[in-house]
Amino acid sequence: MAAKKKAKTVKGTKSKLSVIESPERTLPLLEKFLQYGLLLIVLLSPYYRGLYFDYERYPFFLAVFIVAIIYFLYQIVYQRKVITIKTPIEYFFLFTVLLYGLSILWAADQGMAFREFFSSIVYFIFFLLVTHLFLTKQSKKIFLIAFNINAVFLVLIGFFYRFGWVNPLSRPLGMSMKDLFLTASGRLHSSMQYPNTFAAYLAMAIITLIILHLLEEKPIYISLWGFILFFLQTGLYFTYSRGALLVFIITSVVLFLLLKRKEKIKYLLVLMAAFVWTILFTPRLENFLFNNLPGQFFGFLLLGSLVQAFSVYLLSFLWKKLVNLSKPSIRTSYFTVGIGVALVLVILIVLGLKPAFLGDRFRQITLNTIISQERWIFYGDGLKIFQARPIAGWGGGGWEARYLAYQSYPYFSENSHNYFLQVMIEIGIIGLLATIGLIIGLFYQIYRFKKANKDGWNNLLILGLGAAVFLGFFHGFIDVDFALGSFYFGILAFIAFINQITRSQQITINNRHLFELKIPTWVLFSGVIFLMIFSFFLISGDRAKIRGGYFASHGDLNQAIQYHQKAASSIPFNSQSHYFLSTYYRQLFNTQKQTDLRIKSEYHNEKATSYSPFNFRFQENKAVLKIERGDFETGLNEFEKAIYLAPFISTTYERYLQTCLSVADYYLMRSEKNKAIHYLEEGLRIDDIYTAFLEGSLRPKKKTTAYNKILNELKNKLQEIME
């Protein structure tokens, strides 16, 4: 089982290249087991709603910790190594993690900030594991093949759902099978929640699969990759994601420009074949899909895959002849491409197929659509949040915690739909520079390696993976991709592959080598043990929170309190559970009138507002507690604070006006007419504030019927008193 391998060094080169093939002492079977463990995490994660929700996310984090514990123990007991941080990618990534940790101290919502910090730790550990475990070409190739085959399965289950072959209530292995394909919008979601993110995921897979085409020499495998590619390109089409399509086209052009002449020929021929069969097959597939004809759909889908596989197989012989030409000119190199384009036009004319459907897709890529306009508004609002704390940001989850106070019109969105803007809001300009540094460092490492290394296989692989990473970050400019853990795992695996291949080369800045930070393995092992134990508490607390919500919805407040108390003690800075506990104790106090229940309600509300001081619901609950104690002035002041934290939420205004009416009635019963008038006029003042916000909205919004009813009642009462 044990094996020893020599470490090779290259001397006398200008690049001072030191290539380490693998550690001197290895346990190959154990390393393969750990590799497959990480691969399984990447492959399974998209099926659990993309790991968007903590309920599915935390068990996967636990799996990462288990793999890490085994690996670090292996390092301590057998290899006796230390883990070094020595590349720009590693340093900038680690710095970003530390920033998220520090941001908890000043976060707008400490609970969300802790969640983002904990997630970033997991991603960094996963990144280190992939970097240090996938050392061979074969292991990386197996990973990429499995990644693409898994992407095909994701596409297929979405189509199966469309034809009613998947029960939406079923939960195989705990996976949610709801809304894999929405008939109303006609878009393929699969199990990744968002069609646009799924489209970006498929686009990255397509890029890596085309790289496998270029790396492959055997025609049979080349045809197999062509077969798989058809499923992916069809899936990408049926997501109807204009942004992902545009980003894919731009990335494809960039990758083409960076390839060598021989690789350009192969690349163009594969893309040409994929484009031709997309044009020829997708109109029929679209017709079968929306007319509920599963037999014809899957038969035609299989036929398209076989035709594309055969065409790529034939093209493999053609590109070999073109590549082997001695001293070919540019004209010769692209002669076949010109013939291919001409043939496409001839085929379209002969068959009478006008790809208007594809033209429509391209014409829809504009900045004038409603969705595009909404994104620009999000970005503008996000910049306003950033400007309020530009240096260190609002902490993890900063957008979600603050956007209601800065929005330009009423909308609900837990994400800014721009990864870089999200980083700016969460950890400020410092975090943005760290993120940009990571990306620049990545491409700098690729550049340095390609310049000094003649290994065509590795050069082509890191170039293709770099293109896939570029696509992921580029699409992150316009969507919520990085909010999904599965997307993060995928793109981090690609970054780790690049880092592993390029980290053997010494990085110099101004002729100085980067400092190597050596971390004793026992430190990492101890840290991961703690994190694993802690993750059990997070999993238990998250499930308790869900159970508490279930019992509360069925009116069993005592059981709900027990579960939320467990959640509050298991999850750090858990403001939500404290808020729920406050509301439950308040409800019990209103029925049982026991003083200790009110004290508990106020205690948990203080906890909630201390962890999340900008949450309008928590502030509103604080106002209600003050008013019920008879402290009307303080209560209304707290209500007004809640209004400014979310000025377009009508229910807060409604409760404010209703409170003014109730307080006015209280003082009228005591024959204190002036005080009653004062509170009714306060209600009218708040109505003026609400009107001003609505008039300043970028999109028209009317006051709700419920609000107008309360407002009219308040006005009538004031008029009666004044008369």
Side-chain angles (χ1 to χ4, degrees):
M1 183 176 178
K4 291 186 178 181
K5 296 182 181 179
K6 293 182 179 180
K8 294 184 178 180
T9 59
V10 180
K11 299 180 179 179
T13 61
K14 293 182 180 179
S15 62
K16 299 179 181 179
L17 188 65
S18 175
V19 181
I20 301 174
E21 290 186 339
S22 65
E24 292 186 357
R25 303 178 68 205
T26 63
L27 296 174
L29 290 180
L30 177 61
E31 290 186 1
K32 283 189 177 297
F33 172 77
L34 296 176
Q35 288 171 10
Y36 289 132
L38 294 174
L39 176 60
L40 195 63
I41 289 170
V42 174
L43 298 185
L44 286 179
S45 59
Y47 296 95
Y48 291 86
R49 295 186 288 185
L51 302 189
Y52 183 81
F53 300 100
D54 293 344
Y55 182 82
E56 286 111 349
R57 176 180 289 212
Y58 287 146
F60 275 82
F61 288 0
L62 175 61
V64 172
F65 293 141
I66 292 172
V67 174
I69 287 170
I70 298 172
Y71 176 73
F72 292 137
L73 186 62
Y74 165 55
Q75 295 294 307
I76 294 170
V77 175
Y78 193 75
Q79 292 193 321
R80 297 181 176 86
K81 287 178 55 185
V82 297
I83 301 297
T84 59
I85 305 297
K86 65 177 187 177
T87 66
I89 298 175
E90 294 165 356
Y91 274 113
F92 281 116
F93 199 164
L94 179 60
F95 182 62
T96 304
V97 173
L98 295 176
L99 279 178
Y100 270 106
L102 289 173
S103 73
I104 296 173
L105 300 175
W106 57 79
D109 188 307
Q110 290 181 302
M112 286 192 283
F114 173 80
R115 177 185 184 271
E116 293 304 315
F117 173 54
F118 189 79
S119 298
S120 66
I121 292 174
V122 177
Y123 295 141
F124 184 69
I125 292 172
F126 173 82
F127 164 78
L128 288 180
L129 291 173
V130 175
T131 296
H132 290 276
L133 278 168
F134 288 82
L135 303 176
T136 64
K137 294 178 181 179
Q138 183 185 19
S139 63
K140 296 182 184 71
K141 188 174 180 180
I142 290 173
F143 181 99
L144 294 178
I145 292 171
F147 185 85
N148 280 278
I149 293 174
N150 190 63
V152 172
F153 289 151
L154 289 169
V155 170
L156 289 177
I157 63 168
F159 290 143
F160 292 161
Y161 183 92
R162 166 64 185 91
F163 293 114
W165 296 358
V166 175
N167 182 358
L169 299 179
S170 63
R171 294 186 66 89
L173 299 177
M175 304 173 186
S176 175
M177 292 289 109
K178 289 184 179 179
D179 299 331
L180 305 183
F181 189 103
L182 290 184
T183 307
S185 63
R187 302 184 72 182
L188 178 65
H189 288 218
S190 190
S191 54
M192 287 188 68
Q193 291 289 302
Y194 302 104
N196 294 332
T197 298
F198 184 47
Y201 192 85
L202 291 178
M204 289 197 303
I206 290 172
I207 293 292
T208 61
L209 188 57
I210 293 176
I211 293 301
L212 287 177
H213 273 91
L214 303 186
L215 293 171
E216 191 58 64
E217 295 295 333
K218 296 179 180 179
I220 185 65
Y221 288 117
I222 291 173
S223 61
L224 177 60
W225 308 152
F227 179 83
I228 294 173
L229 180 60
F230 188 81
F231 287 93
L232 299 183
Q233 66 203 46
T234 302
L236 177 60
Y237 175 81
F238 282 110
T239 61
Y240 296 132
S241 175
R242 298 182 294 269
L245 179 60
L246 178 62
V247 170
F248 175 72
I249 292 170
I250 293 172
T251 304
S252 299
V253 172
V254 171
L255 181 56
F256 170 78
L257 295 174
L258 295 175
L259 291 172
K260 294 180 179 179
R261 186 196 63 81
K262 293 181 180 180
E263 296 157 353
K264 279 184 170 73
I265 296 172
K266 296 181 183 180
Y267 183 73
L268 276 174
L269 291 175
V270 172
L271 282 182
M272 184 182 70
F275 179 71
V276 168
W277 301 123
T278 297
I279 290 177
L280 293 177
F281 277 85
T282 45
R284 294 282 185 87
L285 288 170
E286 201 168 33
N287 178 55
F288 297 146
L289 184 67
F290 293 109
N291 285 291
N292 201 26
L293 300 171
Q296 292 92 322
F297 177 84
F298 286 108
F300 214 62
L301 182 65
L302 181 61
L303 176 63
S305 302
L306 292 171
V307 169
Q308 181 160 295
F310 183 67
S311 65
V312 172
Y313 176 80
L314 294 179
L315 288 173
S316 67
F317 295 102
L318 177 60
W319 75 50
K320 283 181 181 179
K321 291 184 178 180
L322 289 173
V323 166
N324 291 330
L325 287 174
S326 59
K327 297 181 180 180
S329 64
I330 294 178
R331 292 181 181 178
T332 306
S333 300
Y334 298 108
F335 179 69
T336 304
V337 177
I339 293 177
V341 173
L343 286 174
V344 171
L345 295 175
V346 169
I347 291 172
L348 294 175
I349 293 171
V350 171
L351 296 179
L353 292 174
K354 297 180 181 180
F357 70 98
L358 199 60
D360 291 341
R361 298 282 175 260
F362 280 101
R363 283 190 291 273
Q364 290 172 9
I365 302 176
T366 70
L367 299 179
N368 296 322
T369 63
I370 293 176
I371 293 177
S372 298
Q373 292 171 2
E374 285 179 347
R375 298 289 167 81
W376 285 110
I377 294 172
F378 288 179
Y379 303 159
D381 293 344
L383 287 175
K384 288 188 287 185
I385 301 173
F386 164 72
Q387 288 169 0
R389 283 190 186 177
I391 306 300
W394 293 90
W399 163 272
E400 187 177 351
R402 297 298 287 130
Y403 82 96
L404 289 173
Y406 290 88
Q407 60 187 176
S408 301
Y409 75 97
Y411 61 82
F412 294 97
S413 176
E414 295 180 355
N415 196 283
S416 66
H417 291 75
N418 184 314
Y419 172 68
F420 297 93
L421 179 59
Q422 193 90 9
V423 170
M424 289 167 60
I425 294 169
E426 292 180 343
I427 47 179
I429 193 68
I430 300 173
L432 177 65
L433 292 174
T435 303
I436 293 173
L438 188 152
I439 297 170
I440 293 175
L442 172 75
F443 291 106
Y444 176 71
Q445 287 179 219
I446 293 174
Y447 167 76
R448 290 273 300 181
F449 185 85
K450 283 178 61 64
K451 185 177 179 181
N453 197 284
K454 303 302 180 184
D455 185 347
W457 200 95
N458 276 332
N459 282 343
L460 185 54
L461 179 63
I462 62 174
L463 196 60
L465 292 175
V469 172
F470 171 79
L471 186 150
F473 279 111
F474 196 175
H475 193 261
F477 259 116
I478 56 175
D479 228 307
V480 299
D481 305 335
F482 288 90
L484 277 70
S486 58
F487 189 89
Y488 232 129
F489 278 135
I491 202 168
L492 280 179
F494 299 154
I495 294 173
F497 285 170
I498 295 170
N499 188 55
Q500 188 278 321
I501 293 170
T502 60
R503 81 190 305 265
S504 58
Q505 183 177 357
Q506 296 286 353
I507 304 296
T508 59
I509 299 177
N510 294 328
N511 296 321
R512 290 186 177 183
H513 297 306
L514 279 183
F515 171 74
E516 290 189 13
L517 176 63
K518 295 182 179 181
I519 306 175
T521 312
W522 68 266
V523 173
L524 292 171
F525 177 77
S526 303
V528 173
I529 286 284
F530 170 77
L531 291 170
M532 186 192 73
I533 295 172
F534 191 73
S535 66
F536 280 112
F537 285 97
L538 293 178
I539 293 170
S540 175
D542 191 67
R543 278 153 176 71
K545 189 163 60 174
I546 294 171
R547 294 292 292 172
Y550 170 80
F551 282 110
S553 65
H554 288 77
D556 192 343
L557 293 184
N558 290 319
Q559 283 283 1
I561 285 171
Q562 289 183 22
Y563 279 107
H564 274 292
Q565 284 176 334
K566 181 180 179 181
S569 61
S570 300
I571 304 174
F573 313 110
N574 186 0
S575 58
Q576 285 189 345
S577 287
H578 283 293
Y579 165 71
F580 288 129
L581 286 169
S582 177
T583 58
Y584 299 157
Y585 279 123
R586 176 176 160 267
Q587 290 178 51
L588 290 176
F589 170 78
N590 288 335
T591 56
Q592 301 176 17
K593 302 303 180 181
Q594 296 179 14
T595 306
D596 63 315
L597 294 175
R598 169 178 277 174
I599 293 172
K600 289 178 180 179
S601 178
E602 291 174 343
Y603 166 78
H604 286 291
N605 181 259
E606 286 299 321
K607 280 286 187 182
T609 53
S610 66
Y611 293 150
S612 183
F614 299 98
N615 188 299
F616 81 97
R617 293 196 185 280
F618 302 171
Q619 194 68 36
E620 186 180 73
N621 186 55
K622 185 177 182 179
V624 171
L625 290 171
K626 294 291 184 183
I627 288 168
E628 288 180 346
R629 267 194 175 275
D631 190 352
F632 302 137
E633 281 297 325
T634 304
L636 289 178
N637 286 336
E638 298 295 341
F639 253 127
E640 191 165 348
K641 290 178 183 177
I643 285 172
Y644 282 101
L645 290 175
F648 287 110
I649 302 297
S650 63
T651 54
T652 311
Y653 294 96
E654 291 170 17
R655 298 187 74 175
Y656 190 103
L657 296 188
Q658 191 63 60
T659 300
C660 289
L661 278 169
S662 299
V663 173
D665 287 337
Y666 169 79
Y667 281 113
L668 286 174
M669 290 175 61
R670 297 178 51 146
S671 300
E672 297 184 40
K673 182 177 177 181
N674 290 334
K675 286 188 176 181
I677 292 173
H678 166 73
Y679 283 105
L680 292 175
E681 288 177 342
E682 281 295 299
L684 293 179
R685 182 180 66 83
I686 290 299
D687 176 61
D688 292 338
I689 293 173
Y690 189 25
T691 301
F693 275 116
L694 293 180
E695 289 176 351
S697 172
L698 289 180
R699 293 189 178 176
K701 180 177 172 60
K702 296 181 179 179
K703 296 174 181 176
T704 63
T705 303
Y707 176 85
N708 285 326
K709 182 179 179 181
I710 299 171
L711 179 63
N712 290 332
E713 185 180 349
L714 186 145
K715 288 180 177 178
N716 292 334
K717 185 175 289 292
L718 180 61
Q719 187 176 1
E720 290 174 7
I721 296 173
M722 298 297 288
E723 291 175 352

